[in-house]
Amino acid sequence: MNYCNLITIFAFINLLVSIPHGYSNYVETKAGQFFSSGHTNNWAVLVCTSRFWFNYRHVANTLSVYRSVKRLGIPDSHIVLMLADDMACNYRNPKPATVFSHKNMELNVYGDDVEVDYRGYEVTVENFLRVLTGRLPPSTPRSKRLLSDDRSNILIYLTGHGGNGFLKFQDSEEISNMELADAFEQMWQKRRYNELLFIIDTCQGASMYERFYSPNLMALASSQVGEDSLSHQPDLGIGVHLMDKYTFYLLEFLEEVHPASQANMNDLFKVCPQSQCVSTPGHRTDLFQRDPGSVLITDFFGSVRKVEITKDTINLTSPVEPPIKRSGSSDIQIESLTYVDQLPVAEIIHQKPKQKDWHPPDGFILGLWTLILLVFFQTYGIKHLKHIF
Amino acid sequence: KTVCDLNLSSVLMNSNLVHRADSFFLATKMAAPLTLLLIVAVTIRAVLFRSSWAELISERVEVVSPLNAWKRVVEGLALLDLGVSPYSGDVFHETPFMIYLFHFVVDYAEIVFMVSPDLVFCLSRFLTSLKQKYALESDRYPADCLELLRSPKEMFYIPLKVAMFYLLNPFTILSCVAKSTCGLNNAIIALFILCTLKGSALLSGILLALATYQSIYPLTLFAPALLFFLQRLYIPVNLRRSSFWFFTLQYAFIYVGSLVVITGLSFFLLGSWDFIPSVYGFIFSVPDLTPNIGLFWYFFAEMFEHFRLFFICVFQINVFFYTIPLSIKLKEHPVFLIFMQIAIISIFKSYPTVGDVALYMAFLPAWSHLYRFLRNIFLVSCVLLACSALFPVLWHLWIYAGSANSNFYYAITLLFNFGQILLVSDYFYAYLRREHHLTHGLYLKKKDGTEATLVLK
C-alpha cells in the first residue's frame, strides 16, 4: 500500500515538475522561431516621380501601395512618401481632395490621413538617394528620414516614366540603375536594411534592377527591357488614366492580404501575368538569401509585430535557429555580419607622435661638400692654406 | 685730345691706382657707418619678428608666393619627416638644395638665418659697388663732360647707399620678416654679381648655375656675365673671332656643367626626379593662380583652356625675349645690362614678390649719376608708393569687405608693373643719353648754333 502511494506521489511530482519544463520547452521553441525571420521593424519608401496632371496614374499608383502598406500595419512614422505633384488638390481635378484608383470613382486612395513627406519639387534624385543612404542635413525632420537599422525590412516602390536603365524624376533629371545599385550597396555597407523588396512600375522597369549587387535584395518590375508598362483604365469623368495595369492588379492582390495571411512572394510574382498586363512582369531573387516561397508578403508590406505573452521567465540558452536557407547553391558567399573594427583610438591617444626624422643621404652630403671644397680650392688656391693655418 | 683731356685721364688713372690700393682702406673707413646700418637693419627685423605683424606679413600675397613661402617649406619638411615626398600634392616648390639647407635650420635659428641673406646681400652689394666704379672710368671723354663723370668723392658713399637701399627698403624688410626664401635667391644672385665683377669665371658660372637652379629666370644673366668677362679679358665681341667662341664655350661649359652637376646631386637627395615638374614645371606652366603683384594670375584666371598653352608660351618668352636686343645695345656696359635683366626678370617672372623688386631697386644708387637725365622719376616714385599703399587696401576690400572685386587688385598690379617698367626704361634712357653725351659732348648744338634737344628713337 505504502509503495503504491509513494509511486503515485513520485509520478505526480514528476508530472508536476515536467509540465512547466515541457511548457518552457515549447516556449523556447517558439522563442527560437520568434527570431528566425530576421527582421524586427518595417519601413516603406514610396516614390512617385512624375509631375503634371496627365501623370495622375503615377500618384494613384503610389497612393494605393501606401494605402495597402498602412492598412497592413506600417505606421506613417515608418513610411517615407514622396509625391512629385499634387493631384488631389490640382486645379484640374474635378473631384478635389480625391485620388481614385478605379474608374467610376470606386476607390479613393487619398483618404483622410495621407502624410506626404516629400512633395512637389522636393522629390529629386538627390533627396531620394539621401533618404536611402541617410545622408541628410542635421536639420531634416524625422518624418523625412529613413531611420532603418540592420533589422529593418524595407519596401521600396518607384513609379513614373522610365527607360532602359534610368528613371525620370520631375521631367528634368534621371536616376540610373547603377546609381540605385550603389545606393543600395551603401545601405548594405551601413547596415541600413535586413532585407529589401524593390518594386518598380515604369516602362522597361526590369532594367532598373539589373545592376543590383548587394545581398538580400528582391526586385520586381512591371515590364521587361524593351517593353512598355501600360496604363489601365481612364475615367471619363476625371479625364485621365487612373492607374497603371501592374499596380492595379497589385492593389487587387494586396486587398486580399491581411496581417495574418500566409501569402508569400511566389504569389506576388504571379501578379499580373502577360494576359492581363500586356507587358511581362519580371523579378529577381538571386541576391536574396531566403527562399521566396518562405517569405511572407507581410514581411515587407506589413508590420506584423511578433508578440508572445508569457508568464514565465525563459532561459534562451539554445542557439537561435538560422533562417531557412534556400535550397540549391547560391553564387554569392555572404560572410557573417560583424561590425567593422573600431578605430584603435586608445592606441592613438596615448601614443606620443613619433618623429620620423628624415636625414639627407650620406652620398649627397659627401658629394656636395666635396664639390664645395673643390671649388673653394680652385678659386683660392692651395697656397693660401699656408696663410690660413 | 686736348690737354685738359690728358690731364683728366692722368688724374683718373692716378686715382684708379690710388683707389686700387686704397680699396681696403676705404672698406675700413666705411666699416663704422656700415656696422651702424647693419645694427639698425637687424633691429628693425628683430622687432618685427617678435611682434604680431610677423604672422600677418608672412601671409600677404604680395610678399610670399607659392614658390617661396615659408609655411610651404615647413609643410614640405613635415611631409618629409612623415616619409612622404615633399613634392607630392602641390605644396612645396623649393629645390632639393633648399630642403637640405632648411633641414638643419628649420627648428632653430631661423631668424638669424633670415637675416644672413640680407647680410650676404649687402656685403656683396657693397663689394660690388666698390669694384664697379672701375668700369665706369674711361679716358676718352670730351672736356665738357667733366661734370658727367663721377668724382671719387661721390662714389665713395655708393656702396653704403646700396647697402642702405637694400637693408632698409621696406620691401626687403617685409620679405625678410615673412621668412620668404626670396631673400636666399637674391643673395645667390648678389654673390653671382660679386664673383662676376671680381673676375672669377668659375665661381661666377657656378653661382649662376645655382641661381638658375633656384628659379629658371637668371638664365638670362648668362649673356651680361659673358659680356663682362669678354670685356675684362679684352676679347672683342665678334662672332667671327675664334677667341670669342673659345671663351664663350668655356664659360658655357662651366655654367652648363655645374647646372648638370647640381641637378644630378639634387636627384640623389631624394632619389627621384619629382622636383623637376614640381619646381620648374610649376614655374613654367603657372598652375597656381593666387593673386600676386605680377601679371600672370589675372590673365590665366580668365583665359579659356584652349588658349592657355599659347599664352603661357607668350608670357614666358616675354621674360627671355629682351636679352638679345639689350645685349646688343648694351654690349659695352654689361653691368647696366645685369641691372636691366634683373629688373626685367623681377617684373615679368611668373610669381614675382616684393623681394624681387627690392633686388633691382638696391642697384639704383649705383646709377645715381643718371639722376639728371631721368625724366619720369617723380611720376614713377608716386606710382610705386601709391601702389604699394593700395595693395593691402584693395586686397582687403576685395577679399574681406567684398565691396571690390579682382579687377581692382588687378588694376593696381598693372599700375605697379607699369611704374616698374617706366622706372627701368627711364634708367635705360638716362644711361643711353649719358653715353651719348659722353661721346658727343654735353651741350649739344644744332648746326645753326641753337640748343638741340635729344630724342630717343
Side-chain angles (χ1 to χ4, degrees), chain A residues 3 22 47 50 92 96 101 106 111 113 119 176 179 185 191 230 232 242 256 287 327 329 337 382 389:
Chain A
Y3 288 133
V47 184
S50 330
R92 288 170 76 166
S101 63
E106 282 169 16
D113 56 352
R119 64 197 64 184
S176 67
E179 278 178 334
E185 177 64 14
R191 309 281 185 256
L230 302 173
H232 187 54
L242 295 180
E256 307 289 316
L287 293 166
S327 53
S329 60
L337 304 179
I382 298 187
F389 292 108

Side-chain angles (χ1 to χ4, degrees), chain B residues 192-311:
Chain B
F192 153 71
I193 296 175
L194 174 67
C195 293
T196 311
L197 290 175
K198 278 191 87 146
S200 158
L202 176 70
L203 269 183
S204 154
I206 292 174
L207 281 166
L208 184 63
L210 200 60
T212 311
Y213 166 77
Q214 282 290 107
S215 62
I216 313 172
Y217 298 109
L219 176 64
T220 58
L221 293 173
F222 180 79
L226 185 65
L227 284 171
F228 184 84
F229 280 118
L230 289 173
Q231 198 183 59
R232 223 180 118 86
L233 296 172
Y234 301 109
I235 301 173
V237 184
N238 191 343
L239 279 138
R240 268 169 267 147
R241 293 272 189 118
S242 66
S243 51
F244 165 75
W245 285 111
F246 184 65
F247 186 79
T248 311
L249 280 170
Q250 260 187 331
Y251 193 64
F253 178 72
I254 297 174
Y255 173 62
V256 172
S258 34
L259 194 59
V260 165
V261 165
I262 291 172
T263 318
L265 257 184
S266 13
F267 168 73
F268 285 113
L269 185 74
L270 285 173
S272 72
W273 294 108
D274 278 347
F275 70 98
I276 291 186
S278 255
V279 181
Y280 306 119
F282 186 81
I283 294 177
F284 273 135
S285 65
V286 192
D288 187 318
L289 295 176
T290 319
N292 48 47
I293 61 172
L295 300 162
F296 277 64
W297 60 277
Y298 191 81
F299 268 101
F300 290 102
E302 61 176 3
M303 187 157 301
F304 291 114
E305 280 302 314
H306 188 66
F307 298 108
R308 200 186 148 88
L309 182 62
F310 171 67
F311 279 102

Side-chain angles (χ1 to χ4, degrees), chain B residues 308-341:
Chain B
R308 200 186 148 88
L309 182 62
F310 171 67
F311 279 102
I312 291 267
C313 295
V314 166
F315 274 65
Q316 299 289 0
I317 286 173
N318 194 28
V319 183
F320 297 100
F321 187 71
Y322 299 100
T323 311
I324 310 259
L326 279 175
S327 316
I328 294 173
K329 186 74 189 169
L330 291 172
K331 62 174 178 277
E332 275 114 35
H333 315 286
V335 185
F336 190 73
L337 182 58
I338 290 182
F339 165 72
M340 288 288 293
Q341 283 294 2

Side-chain angles (χ1 to χ4, degrees), chain A residues 53-233:
Chain A
W53 172 245
F54 48 83
N55 291 322
Y56 183 102
R57 58 190 187 284
H58 297 138
V59 173
N61 288 348
T62 320
L63 284 173
S64 14
V65 178
Y66 172 76
R67 174 201 154 76
S68 312
V69 148
K70 234 169 116 164
R71 190 176 53 79
L72 290 171
I74 303 185
D76 272 312
S77 57
H78 283 225
I79 304 176
V80 178
L81 179 61
M82 302 169 81
L83 298 180
D85 204 354
D86 184 7
M87 299 307 170
C89 299
N90 195 308
Y91 48 82
R92 288 170 76 166
N93 191 348
K95 299 275 174 212
T98 58
V99 174
F100 293 111
S101 63
H102 289 59
K103 68 175 183 205
N104 302 325
M105 298 164 222
E106 282 169 16
L107 182 58
N108 174 19
V109 289
Y110 199 67
D112 300 330
D113 56 352
V114 170
E115 276 188 28
V116 182
D117 301 305
Y118 286 83
R119 64 197 64 184
Y121 287 108
E122 288 171 354
V123 179
T124 58
V125 172
E126 183 188 342
N127 281 350
F128 175 57
L129 290 176
R130 282 186 185 279
V131 163
L132 286 184
T133 54
R135 294 157 96 167
L136 290 158
S139 56
T140 319
R142 283 180 76 94
S143 59
K144 283 182 157 167
R145 287 177 186 264
L146 177 65
L147 296 166
S148 55
D149 53 32
D150 65 322
R151 293 282 123 222
S152 307
N153 275 10
I154 307 183
L155 165 73
I156 297 187
Y157 177 83
L158 294 174
T159 183
H161 289 287
N164 190 356
F166 66 91
L167 170 63
K168 194 168 68 161
F169 268 67
Q170 301 270 11
D171 209 24
S172 67
E173 52 180 0
E174 298 162 358
I175 184 171
S176 67
N177 49 7
M178 204 61 231
E179 278 178 334
L180 200 54
D182 288 338
F184 287 153
E185 177 64 14
Q186 278 192 54
M187 289 173 79
W188 174 252
Q189 296 281 344
K190 291 171 77 168
R191 309 281 185 256
R192 278 171 70 78
Y193 68 89
N194 174 41
E195 284 164 350
L196 199 145
L197 177 65
F198 175 78
I199 306 183
I200 184 160
D201 188 354
T202 63
C203 304
Q204 307 192 51
S207 64
M208 288 304 283
Y209 62 67
E210 268 173 2
R211 301 292 195 116
F212 291 168
Y213 55 95
S214 314
N216 289 355
L217 293 178
M218 190 181 330
L220 284 104
S222 59
S223 54
Q224 300 292 334
V225 175
E227 290 178 351
D228 287 335
S229 289
L230 302 173
S231 52
H232 187 54
Q233 6 160 265

Side-chain angles (χ1 to χ4, degrees), chain A residues 20-21 33 44 75 85 122 127 148 157 199 204 207 219 221 244 250 253 267 289 301 349 361 373-374 377:
Chain A
H21 189 64
Q33 288 170 359
D85 204 354
E122 288 171 354
N127 281 350
S148 55
Y157 177 83
I199 306 183
Q204 307 192 51
S207 64
D244 280 329
L250 181 69
F253 171 79
D267 304 322
Q289 280 188 291
F301 283 89
I349 290 179
L373 281 172
L374 271 177
F377 285 131

Side-chain angles (χ1 to χ4, degrees), chain A residues 354-361 363-365 367-369 371 374-375 378-380, chain B residues 80-83 96-97 99-100 103-104 200 202-203 206 261 265-266 268-270:
Chain A
K354 251 188 332 168
Q355 277 291 359
K356 244 183 9 182
D357 267 329
W358 170 84
H359 293 287
F364 174 81
I365 301 177
L368 181 69
W369 287 103
L371 281 170
L374 271 177
V375 170
Q378 168 70 19
T379 332
Y380 291 107
Chain B
L80 202 54
D81 273 339
L82 288 171
F97 268 40
I99 297 180
Y100 177 65
H103 174 67
F104 299 105
S200 158
L202 176 70
L203 269 183
I206 292 174
V261 165
L265 257 184
S266 13
F268 285 113
L269 185 74
L270 285 173

